[in-house]
Every structure is written in structure tokens, then in C-alpha cells.
Amino acid sequence: MEKFKEMKLFLEELNELLQHLFQCGFSSVPETLLMQMKKISEEAKDYGLFFAAEEMKALFETLEESRHQFQTSFEEPSKRYATLVQYARIAEKQLELLYARELCHESDSASGESIS
Amino acid sequence: MQGLDYLKAIEEEYLIGLTNKGTVKRAIKDLEKTEIQWEKTEKGMLLKMEDIECQLVWPLGESTCSCPSRNICKHIILGVLFLKEQFLGKEEEKQEEKTEILPLGKEAFPSISEYPISKLSRILGVKRYKQIANQLLKGTFPGITQAPSVVTVIFEKEEITVKLLEPMEHSACSCHKKDICIHKAEAILSCQVFWGCVTKEILEETKAEAEAIDYEELHRVANSFQNFLMECFTIGLARSSPFVPESMERLSILAHNAGLADFERNFRELAEEYLTYFKRNVTFSPAQLMKKLTDVFLKSKKLSLVNTKEALSEIAGEFKSSYEETDTMHLLAFGSRNFNSKSGYEGTIVYLLEIKKMEWFTFTKAKPTFYEEEKGRRAGNSAYASSPFGLFCPFSEFSRKEFLLYHPRVNRNNRISSSEKSRGELLGDSSLRKYDLSKFWYDDFYEIFDRCLAKGQEEEQERLIFVEADRMEESVYNEKTQTYSLPLYDKKNRKLVISVRFSKEEKPVIQTLERMEKEREEKQSNSIPIFLGIVFLKEGQLSLYPIEMWKDGDYI
């Protein structure tokens, strides 16, 4: 159960970061958020989420590069970003299903605790 | 044609087409007692009667009158009848002797026979044009009757009568649309094929042209969707312009015109989301908006690459689901729920179980609220409305009835259409005891995962189940999330939570559940109701949205 919770926390963190990115926009990503992206990309690898790690790394690199350019096309980052949002959502759903199944299986003995 | 020739061609049917039967009858009646003076003018004829002046011109539809009426009035008709009597009275007598036949067919109606087929296909739209073209190719024509000045086309199935006049602008349809409506277009096309102005080859050719999808145009539309969404991502939510909802509305219209039904819905929903953001509404969720924006972006990306009809219909959806007639259904209505969607519809969904196939179906009664003012009139209470399919019971009772449905029309999502052809035969109240419902009956909650959730089932019908619990705990209302939760347990102590989030539509659901709990407590009863609901996961917890409850086999 601890593993589920840890993974859930990581996915929440990933989602939060994607939301922050949506709030500030690709054209004005603060330095701290960029650093966070780099960190999350590395952490994703540790959790076995290799696709998320690669996409986040590529997104980080493009956005960091764009900070030093006057004109940048955000087509590629938009696609990566949208894919990452969808990926995180599917991962969360799968995790929730696995957790609920596990919880239900174990509930003969344990009193029903929630993933959140 | 000269004025006299026009007068010759004008007959009662034509005048009725221009105005209506009542006006013509009144004019005929008034003809005897009205004194009319006339004089020839450059335009046509000037008629004076009492204090009214009528300027008759040819074609007659352009005539004017000094009375307040803005359409063809009684005075104009009176004038025409008067002139006919004055100038043609004697000639008609002669004609009767000669029995001269006035030209019939395409020669008498040049503006109908020469009406461009491309315009007709545009008015009818691809689907309708295809339908009528197929019918005409098979040789199935609507009822066409010709008189010297009017062609009457009757569409029996739709109970529509079209009167085509010369010139075309004055043609009339029983749907009362002034412009060229779909019925007029169908009537014109039928006449053109009937008269041989449009050959079968031309019809086949234009049918293929109408069916052809302009992928270049679609890709262009997809690119404009993508560019706008990219701009949203680039600028960021915090610096979004307050005009974003308007732009989304514009894009939804663009989607509508391109025949992209799902995109139209999506952009309308996005506009609503942005509005809640700008209004600082508590219901706004940035995560939800982010999810929707990215979904639409990825879909637009797919649209920009689409090149087959099948792929397009998967991405774009359809405006009106195509319903197909199936065999007679034996249905048990097991409850309903009200909804109010952000895409601008509100209504009731009734859940029906087909006993022979053991499959869930839904019937939706909805009305659009999109065009209504925010604080304006609301949709009426549908509970007192009559049931569909001619069933003799109010709509509020329809969701608890057992009936046979003849000529049902169903779409691919198991939705039943309220087609007038489908007729129902009431068999009584639906009951849990009468049939074997084990396929949807769960008293072991672990089984729910494999059958209803493992494959990521998204359709409600796939997650509709009856739940029989072993015990029940006291409900909790979470003030923060505004959610009512009622925990249920099976024999192996596995938990399933009845979960309802408070809203205007859900208030009665929560009240019913609370009342049930109170009654149980008062009577110190241990019996637990059977629930019918839609199962889902919420924060890792198996949950159920309740639709109906039964206690000792009776509805609560």
C-alpha cells in the first residue's frame, strides 16, 4: 500500500507541475519551475515512468532554450505537453484501479483506508 | 410574358400559394360589393378601391398596396380577380370553346427547372441530399401535381406540402419558412428529375460530389484550432484575455460549419470553463480546463492528418446519432436521473434493461438551455409530461414501467430514439423479482472490478449494476467537497460507497437517501435496500452513484 501512495504522490506532483506550466504559459516559465521540471524528469525515471521522463526532459530543454530566443514556435512543446497531461491522467487512473482492487482484496482484515 | 398572359396563368391555387386560402376566399366574397377603378401605368396596373391604392406588377409577388399589410394582402388579390373578370371574362368563354391547353411541365416553370443543382445540394446537406437522390434514382417520387401556374409537391410521410410558383421566391411550404427550405429544395429536385431536366447520370455525379469530403478544408480548420490552443498554452491561464470565451465560441461555430460535431461541443464546453474562471466561480478547476484543452489539442492534431472517412467520423463525431430500427424490445425501466450539461442541455435519462438480450439501454429527454438567458426561464418540469412511445402514464412513472417497444430505433451507444414510429405496450410496473438479473447483480464487491472497471469502461451502461449489501454504516456529509457518502459492506467486509456530490439536480437524491436512513433508524430496521447505480472509482475507493433503491422489492 505504501508503494501505491508513493506513486500517487509522485503523479500528483507531476500533475501539479503541469498545472503550474498551464497557469504561467510556455512563454514565461519561471526559473524555479524549469528546475522542477528537470527534477521531475529524473524522478520519473526512478519510478519507471520512462516515457514521462523523456517527454519532460525534451519539454524542459525546449522551454529553457526558448528563454534565450525572440521567436520560438511552441508547436512541438504544445504536443509534448498535451501528451504528458494525457499520460499522467491514464497513469493515475490505472494506479487508482490497482489500489482500489488491492484495498478491496485486503479489506477482510483492514478497515478501509483511502488512497488520499 | 405580357400582363394579359400572366392574368391567364393566374388561378386560385396560385393566389392561395401567394397568401392563404382565407384571404383568397374573402377577396372572392368582396369582389361583388367593391367598386374598383383601374388605370394602366408604366409598371403594370394601378387599382383604386375605397381609400386603398394597389400597384399590380408582373410577377404578382412584387405588387404593393397602401394598406398596412406587409405581405400580399386581400386588396391585391381582389384587384387580380377584378382584372381577370374584366379582361378575361369573355376570352375565357371563347377559350372554353377552343379548349386551348396551357403549357405544362418545365416550360411553364423556368425558374424551377433551371434552379442550380449545386445550390440544392448545399441547402439539403450531404445526408439529406443523398437520401432524396437515392429515392429519386429508385424512381420513388413524392406526389407531384401540376396546374398552369402551380406545381404542388406532397411529401406524405412528413405531411409537408410545397407549392412551387413562378417566380421561385413566392413558392410556399407548409413548414412556413419564407426562404428556400429543405422541403422546397427537395420538391424542386424532384420536379427537375420528374421533368427530365436532371438525368440519373447528373444525379449520381452530384451525389458523389456532395459525399466527397474536402480534407484540405478540414486540415485548414484543424490548424486554426491548433493555433488557437497553442496560443492558450503559450500565454498561460493567468494572462488569458477575457475574450477567450468569445474566441472559443467562434471556433465552435467554425466546427459546426465544418460538420465537426464533437469539436463544436468541446469548444462550447471550453468557453464555459473559461467563463467560470473569469467569473471567479468556485466550481472552476484549472486541472479540468487543462485536461479538456489538451484533449482537444491532441484531437485537432489527429484531425489535421485525417484522410479517411472512418477516421474522420471517429474524431469528429456526429451531430445527430443515426438510429436504426431493430426487433421488438422487451424493456424494464429501472430508474432515471436528471442532468444539466455544460454543453447547454438539461433533461432526464431513463435506464432501461432489455430482457431478451440482457443489455442496458437509455432513453434521454433533453432540451437545449444554451440559448436561454442565465436568469431567464428554465426548462419546465418534465415529470408531468406524457411518456414517450404512446405509453399511457406520466413521464414521472415511465422510469418504473415494464413495456414492449415495437419498431424501436437504437443508435450504436444503445440509446433509444423517441421516434414517432416506435410504439409501446405497457405491461405493468417493473419488478426486481420477475426476471433473472444475476448478470448485473453484485453481492460480492470484488467482482465489480473485473466486470465493470478493468477495461476502462467509459459508457454508463457498462457500469450499471444492482448492489446488494450485507451491512450499512451511517452516512457522512463532507462540507468541503459537498459530497454525501453512505458506506456499504458486503459479506467479506469489502466496502463500496454510495457517493453523491451536492448540486441542484442531486439535492432530491441526497434527500431520499437521508430519509431512507432516518426511517431505518426510527424503525430500528436492519434491512438494507437494493441499489441500482453507476459504479466508479473515487480516490481509490469503489463508489456508486445511485439511480434507484428498492426495499423488500418495492421502490423507495
Side-chain angles (χ1 to χ4, degrees), chain B residues 279-297:
Chain B
K279 283 181 185 170
R280 307 268 190 274
N281 196 317
V282 281
T283 58
F284 173 72
S285 149
Q288 193 66 18
L289 178 59
M290 177 182 76
K291 176 188 159 286
K292 278 187 184 161
L293 270 180
T294 49
D295 277 352
V296 181
F297 179 79

Side-chain angles (χ1 to χ4, degrees), chain A residues 8 15 18-19 21-28 73-76 78-83 85-86 89 93-94 96-105 107-116, chain B residues 226 229-230 232-239 274 277 284 286-287 289-295 297-298 301 445-446 449-450 453-456 458 489-490 492-495 537-542:
Chain A
K8 167 89 182 163
N15 248 323
L18 291 168
Q19 262 186 62
L21 208 50
F22 174 50
Q23 298 261 10
C24 62
F26 298 158
S27 61
S28 52
S73 161
F74 286 108
E75 195 180 341
E76 201 51 41
S78 295
K79 198 188 161 197
R80 284 191 196 284
Y81 174 76
T83 314
V85 171
Q86 211 173 46
R89 198 169 68 241
K93 263 190 175 177
Q94 282 301 317
E96 196 178 26
L97 181 66
L98 283 171
Y99 178 83
R101 194 191 278 269
E102 194 69 23
L103 191 74
C104 207
H105 194 61
S107 60
D108 295 59
S109 49
S111 62
E113 50 179 328
S114 166
I115 196 168
S116 57
Chain B
Q226 273 183 66
L229 295 170
M230 240 153 59
C232 292
F233 294 138
T234 308
I235 292 169
L237 182 64
R239 289 184 296 147
Y274 266 101
Y277 167 69
F284 173 72
L289 178 59
M290 177 182 76
K291 176 188 159 286
K292 278 187 184 161
L293 270 180
T294 49
D295 277 352
F297 179 79
L298 289 175
K301 201 92 193 144
F445 298 162
Y446 193 70
F449 286 101
D450 287 334
L453 300 165
K455 289 173 195 161
E458 285 192 358
Y489 294 89
D490 68 2
K492 291 179 183 167
N493 206 31
R494 286 160 180 166
K495 190 178 172 187
L537 288 177
K538 192 184 171 194
E539 288 167 355
Q541 176 60 59
L542 193 62

Side-chain angles (χ1 to χ4, degrees), chain B residues 387-542:
Chain B
S387 289
F389 316 123
L391 292 171
F392 289 108
C393 63
F395 190 74
S396 57
E397 286 175 24
F398 170 61
S399 60
R400 293 176 174 187
K401 294 289 177 196
E402 179 181 351
F403 59 95
L404 288 173
L405 187 61
Y406 301 102
H407 308 293
R409 292 172 73 85
V410 179
N411 77 354
R412 60 178 173 185
N413 295 325
N414 276 12
R415 287 191 195 137
I416 301 174
S417 154
S418 59
S419 162
E420 277 181 26
K421 273 187 185 172
S422 311
R423 305 309 291 168
E425 184 190 328
L426 214 55
L427 300 176
D429 289 338
S430 58
S431 164
L432 292 179
R433 295 175 185 139
K434 214 167 158 185
Y435 302 97
D436 176 21
L437 303 173
S438 56
K439 189 181 171 187
F440 306 103
W441 200 278
Y442 291 89
D443 53 4
D444 180 348
F445 298 162
Y446 193 70
E447 284 178 10
I448 296 171
F449 286 101
D450 287 334
R451 292 210 211 152
C452 306
L453 300 165
K455 289 173 195 161
Q457 286 92 328
E458 285 192 358
E459 285 292 322
E460 278 185 358
Q461 290 102 311
E462 294 173 313
R463 294 181 284 122
L464 213 53
I465 55 167
F466 293 98
V467 168
E468 185 182 356
D470 185 54
R471 71 186 171 88
M472 188 168 107
E473 276 181 4
E474 206 177 316
S475 67
V476 183
Y477 187 79
N478 188 327
E479 292 286 347
K480 199 178 154 195
T481 58
Q482 301 255 299
T483 308
Y484 169 92
S485 306
L486 177 70
L488 303 178
Y489 294 89
D490 68 2
K491 281 173 192 160
K492 291 179 183 167
N493 206 31
R494 286 160 180 166
K495 190 178 172 187
L496 178 143
V497 177
I498 301 276
S499 176
V500 188
R501 194 168 175 196
F502 181 84
S503 70
K504 194 189 83 190
E505 287 77 30
E506 304 300 354
K507 195 177 169 184
V509 179
I510 296 175
Q511 282 173 339
T512 312
L513 287 163
E514 283 176 339
R515 212 165 39 238
M516 176 273 294
E517 266 190 286
K518 205 176 165 188
E519 272 175 30
R520 253 183 111 239
E521 204 181 301
E522 279 171 4
K523 291 178 186 170
Q524 292 186 329
S525 159
N526 282 328
S527 76
I528 298 163
I530 303 292
F531 291 92
L532 168 72
I534 301 159
V535 73
F536 63 99
L537 288 177
K538 192 184 171 194
E539 288 167 355
Q541 176 60 59
L542 193 62

Side-chain angles (χ1 to χ4, degrees), chain A residues 3-111:
Chain A
K3 273 184 201 166
F4 282 118
K5 283 188 179 170
E6 211 176 301
M7 185 64 118
K8 167 89 182 163
L9 273 177
F10 174 72
L11 287 175
E12 270 175 9
E13 212 178 312
L14 174 65
N15 248 323
E16 211 171 295
L17 184 137
L18 291 168
Q19 262 186 62
H20 280 159
L21 208 50
F22 174 50
Q23 298 261 10
C24 62
F26 298 158
S27 61
S28 52
V29 188
E31 186 74 37
T32 47
L33 196 59
L34 278 173
M35 288 304 108
Q36 230 176 315
M37 283 170 76
K38 201 177 172 188
K39 194 181 134 223
I40 285 265
S41 151
E42 280 157 16
E43 276 179 13
K45 232 184 250 173
D46 298 338
Y47 281 101
L49 305 174
F50 297 105
F51 179 78
E54 286 300 311
E55 289 293 298
M56 186 59 89
K57 193 182 166 202
L59 185 61
F60 157 76
E61 282 169 0
T62 326
L63 292 183
E64 199 191 29
E65 221 169 82
S66 74
R67 282 159 63 91
H68 310 291
Q69 290 169 351
F70 281 114
Q71 273 189 335
T72 317
S73 161
F74 286 108
E75 195 180 341
E76 201 51 41
S78 295
K79 198 188 161 197
R80 284 191 196 284
Y81 174 76
T83 314
L84 265 170
V85 171
Q86 211 173 46
Y87 178 87
R89 198 169 68 241
I90 294 168
E92 258 188 342
K93 263 190 175 177
Q94 282 301 317
L95 185 74
E96 196 178 26
L97 181 66
L98 283 171
Y99 178 83
R101 194 191 278 269
E102 194 69 23
L103 191 74
C104 207
H105 194 61
E106 284 184 2
S107 60
D108 295 59
S109 49
S111 62

Side-chain angles (χ1 to χ4, degrees), chain B residues 181-352:
Chain B
C181 60
I182 47 170
H183 311 114
K184 281 183 199 166
E186 280 182 351
I188 295 168
L189 188 64
S190 304
C191 288
Q192 287 182 346
V193 178
F194 188 70
W195 291 331
C197 314
V198 171
T199 59
K200 284 190 175 180
E201 289 74 33
I202 298 174
L203 203 61
E204 286 278 13
E205 209 175 287
T206 47
K207 202 181 93 180
E209 271 172 28
E211 275 177 320
I213 298 165
D214 187 352
Y215 288 108
E216 258 180 49
E217 173 64 14
L218 277 180
H219 295 168
R220 204 181 52 76
V221 172
N223 284 337
S224 56
F225 291 164
Q226 273 183 66
N227 290 340
F228 183 77
L229 295 170
M230 240 153 59
E231 211 178 292
C232 292
F233 294 138
T234 308
I235 292 169
L237 182 64
R239 289 184 296 147
S240 291
S241 152
F243 297 110
V244 170
E246 277 177 36
S247 302
M248 295 281 186
E249 266 306 319
R250 186 179 59 80
L251 290 176
S252 76
I253 294 166
L254 202 66
H256 179 90
N257 292 339
L260 305 166
D262 278 1
F263 281 93
E264 184 191 355
R265 247 190 312 271
N266 293 151
F267 278 113
R268 203 151 269 164
E269 278 172 6
L270 281 172
E272 282 290 318
E273 288 281 347
Y274 266 101
L275 272 177
T276 54
Y277 167 69
F278 287 117
K279 283 181 185 170
R280 307 268 190 274
N281 196 317
V282 281
T283 58
F284 173 72
S285 149
Q288 193 66 18
L289 178 59
M290 177 182 76
K291 176 188 159 286
K292 278 187 184 161
L293 270 180
T294 49
D295 277 352
V296 181
F297 179 79
L298 289 175
K299 247 169 66 176
S300 310
K301 201 92 193 144
K302 275 188 194 168
L303 184 67
S304 66
L305 301 169
V306 83
N307 53 13
T308 61
K309 211 175 165 185
E310 291 72 32
L312 178 66
S313 75
E314 204 174 294
I315 301 169
E318 47 190 359
F319 284 113
K320 221 175 169 187
S321 300
S322 42
Y323 289 83
E324 280 174 21
E325 196 171 320
T326 62
D327 299 336
T328 301
M329 295 166 101
H330 184 173
L331 295 160
L332 290 167
F334 273 131
S336 63
R337 73 176 177 91
N338 295 330
F339 71 93
N340 189 350
S341 76
K342 278 188 177 172
S343 53
Y345 284 90
E346 70 174 22
T348 309
I349 301 172
V350 180
Y351 296 90
L352 306 134

